[in-house]
Amino acid sequence: MTSTAQPTGSEGRKAHPEHLGHVIFITAAAAMGGFLFGYDSSVINGAVEAIRGRYEVGSAVLAQVIAIALIGCAIGAATAGRIADRIGRIRVMQIASVLFTISAVGSALPFALWDLAFWRIIGGFAIGMASVIGPAYIAEVSPSAYRGRLGSFQQAAIVIGIAVSQLVNWGILNLADGDQRGKIAGLEAWQWMLGVMVVPAVLYGLLSFAIPESPRYLISVDKISRAKEVLAEVEGHTVNLDKRITEIQDAMRREHKASFKDLLGSKMGFLPIVWVGIGLSVFQQLVGINVAFYYSSALWQSVGIDPSASFFYSFTTSIINIIGTVIAMIFVDRIGRRPLALIGSVGMAIALGLEAWAFSAKTAAGTLPPTEGTVALIAAHVFVLFFALSWGVVVWVFLGEMFPNKIRAAALGVAASAQWIANWAITASFPSLSDWNLSGTYVIYMVFALLSIPFVLKFVKETKGKALEEMG
């Protein structure tokens, strides 16, 4: 699944569609998958302690139930591109919508722990598909002058999904009088938290019927007239449509269907550019960002904060996440991807170091002294802010842009799969690591934030302002 060829030179960079609002609607509708990605990923935050209590499981088993969805994510990410090349981008969105809906219903009504784990895997398939199809589709329909900002819609949708899930969780908890296992209309509060996702899942499916198929896919199945109509919608009627069709066709003729074998180099396994994509994906996760979204309520409760306040802090963290993402969307096309990544790495390292220091003061009673508690809360919000204004956005933009056309589909799938595997490693290990040494766990995350700085400086090239056909 490769992204639409963009005109090279100044013509493509200055393209200004007459109906930019319509392009924004198309992008926002496609990014609804990102909203569900964020919602489904983080909604479990509100159910962690309730699941532990209901099924009487320890940290290791609980971590596997929380993290098992990420295995489905990796599989969904690895297969979405090839499926989209066969049946179209819109059909993949619709399949993901159905899987999100099924997962929400099943997760809300489990009859055993393994049953809950199974429905989380189904949701993981959907998240993985959305993680690939969203940025790829948006890159294919975006004029190059706006591609960075429109590509940021995916991450914006993810962080809004995270925030809404935490707000919904907090509201449901209050309806249940602060008890995560309190009954509301016959179901426990945590079941409602997981089940409410049905609403955005159905909306995603409906929106997929309101947006056009990717012009690149339409050309690949010889629907040239429809491809011209879509190009006119998204790039403007002043663009020479015949020339654009020819450019895309020429680019497609120079390509072949990428396979895993095409990603292999002679010495290092994968080609160097593929390793860079994998590195970006892995570093994005190894700084521990998803601990903030999967475990923050349980984390704050473990250092003496009551459940209602812990849910509220999870929500305020997600608002900071949105603010940081907006900052990134404003600057990603102005100062570039690499500078934002470097700024974020430095800020995250400092914040994680402060969290490590604060958690080292945890008392035998499981609480933090007032000063350290305040520092921990502020540093947690600062960490999320710097992640959101940098790695949260630029990695997705990089992955949509950095690969040569002939390997973009396969390379993006491998990089996204690596991201989910790294996400799984962090998510599955955190409960046991925090039981061992909470402060030491944050030192590990800080080290990865520091290591990301020389990685970006040495290996990552700027993609700001370049047409997709200039990559590689």
Side-chain angles (χ1 to χ4, degrees):
M1 179 179 59
T2 49
S3 297
T4 304
Q6 299 288 345
T8 56
S10 61
E11 178 187 346
R13 294 197 250 290
K14 294 179 181 178
H16 192 302
E18 295 91 336
H19 308 294
L20 184 58
H22 182 58
V23 178
I24 291 172
F25 168 77
I26 292 171
T27 303
M32 189 69 189
F35 176 92
L36 282 158
F37 169 172
Y39 194 102
D40 195 19
S41 296
S42 63
V43 69
I44 195 69
N45 189 4
V48 171
E49 292 304 309
I51 292 170
R52 187 199 300 270
R54 171 146 175 186
Y55 297 106
E56 298 179 350
V57 293
S59 293
V61 174
L62 178 67
Q64 294 307 317
V65 174
I66 303 305
I68 199 168
L70 301 172
I71 302 300
C73 291
I75 297 171
T79 58
R82 300 307 294 269
I83 295 172
D85 278 343
R86 289 179 178 272
I87 66 174
R89 285 61 165 147
I90 300 299
R91 288 288 178 265
V92 171
M93 294 180 193
Q94 291 163 355
I95 291 170
S97 169
V98 171
L99 293 177
F100 275 124
T101 303
I102 292 171
S103 172
V105 175
S107 298
L109 303 171
F111 51 80
L113 189 62
W114 70 264
D115 177 45
L116 175 61
F118 173 77
W119 297 118
R120 284 192 49 72
I121 293 174
I122 297 298
F125 288 146
I127 295 173
M129 296 176 87
S131 74
V132 170
I133 198 64
Y137 174 86
I138 291 169
E140 292 182 353
V141 299
S142 298
S144 60
Y146 299 93
R147 197 176 60 234
R149 278 164 284 183
L150 293 175
S152 300
F153 273 46
Q154 173 79 356
Q155 181 64 18
I158 292 171
V159 299
I160 292 171
I162 291 170
V164 171
S165 73
Q166 300 312 299
L167 180 60
V168 169
N169 284 355
W170 185 47
I172 291 173
L173 183 73
N174 286 330
L175 287 175
D177 298 322
D179 183 0
Q180 289 158 270
R181 297 195 59 195
K183 290 293 184 69
I184 303 173
L187 296 178
E188 294 184 5
W190 68 273
Q191 293 176 273
W192 282 105
M193 293 176 189
L194 300 183
V196 166
M197 193 180 67
V198 166
V199 177
V202 171
L203 179 60
Y204 180 39
L206 294 175
L207 284 172
S208 71
F209 289 97
I211 60 178
E213 182 55 85
S214 155
R216 186 178 183 88
Y217 174 75
L218 291 169
I219 292 171
S220 74
V221 294
D222 208 27
K223 295 183 178 180
I224 305 300
S225 296
R226 178 57 182 150
K228 287 183 178 180
E229 293 174 5
V230 176
L231 285 169
E233 284 183 44
V234 299
E235 295 193 9
H237 294 280
T238 60
V239 173
N240 186 328
L241 298 178
D242 289 326
K243 181 180 177 182
R244 288 291 292 114
I245 293 292
T246 300
E247 287 173 345
I248 296 171
Q249 288 174 327
D250 288 345
M252 292 172 67
R253 274 193 289 269
R254 291 193 298 268
E255 298 168 9
H256 65 284
K257 291 294 182 182
S259 66
F260 186 81
K261 183 170 62 177
D262 295 314
L263 306 181
L264 301 179
S266 58
K267 296 180 180 179
M268 302 170 58
F270 289 120
L271 294 169
I273 190 65
V274 179
W275 280 119
V276 173
I278 291 172
L280 285 167
S281 290
V282 169
F283 272 118
Q284 188 196 55
Q285 297 302 314
L286 293 185
V287 296
I289 185 60
N290 280 311
V291 168
F293 300 126
Y294 297 162
Y295 293 114
S296 60
S297 293
L299 172 64
W300 296 126
Q301 290 174 52
S302 75
V303 291
I305 293 174
D306 69 82
S308 182
S310 73
F311 273 55
F312 179 72
Y313 292 139
S314 295
F315 173 62
T316 57
T317 300
S318 65
I319 295 300
I320 293 295
N321 196 20
I322 293 175
I323 293 171
T325 301
V326 171
I327 293 172
M329 292 175 70
I330 292 171
F331 289 106
V332 69
D333 279 330
R334 296 185 182 181
I335 69 173
R337 288 71 159 139
R338 286 179 85 240
L340 281 181
L342 292 169
I343 291 168
S345 293
V346 173
M348 288 189 295
I350 293 170
L352 288 165
L354 288 171
E355 286 191 82
W357 171 81
F359 288 134
S360 69
K362 185 177 178 180
T363 67
T367 60
L368 293 179
T371 299
E372 284 81 356
T374 301
V375 169
L377 282 170
I378 293 173
H381 285 72
V382 171
F383 166 63
V384 171
L385 175 66
F386 274 96
F387 175 85
L389 65 80
S390 60
W391 285 76
V393 167
V394 299
V395 169
W396 290 109
V397 175
F398 268 130
L399 293 182
E401 295 179 338
M402 64 185 289
F403 301 115
N405 272 338
K406 66 180 181 179
I407 65 166
R408 184 170 287 122
L412 201 156
V414 167
S417 295
Q419 186 173 128
W420 291 117
I421 292 169
N423 190 341
W424 172 82
I426 293 296
T427 304
S429 64
F430 176 75
S432 296
L433 283 173
S434 62
D435 287 348
W436 160 69
N437 188 317
L438 184 58
S439 177
T441 301
Y442 276 81
V443 169
I444 293 171
Y445 301 153
M446 179 189 69
V447 168
F448 283 119
L450 290 171
L451 289 174
S452 69
I453 297 172
F455 174 79
V456 171
L457 289 173
K458 184 171 178 60
F459 298 112
V460 180
K461 295 181 179 179
E462 182 60 75
T463 59
K464 171 191 171 186
K466 294 183 179 180
L468 294 181
E469 268 53 57
E470 297 175 52
M471 304 302 173

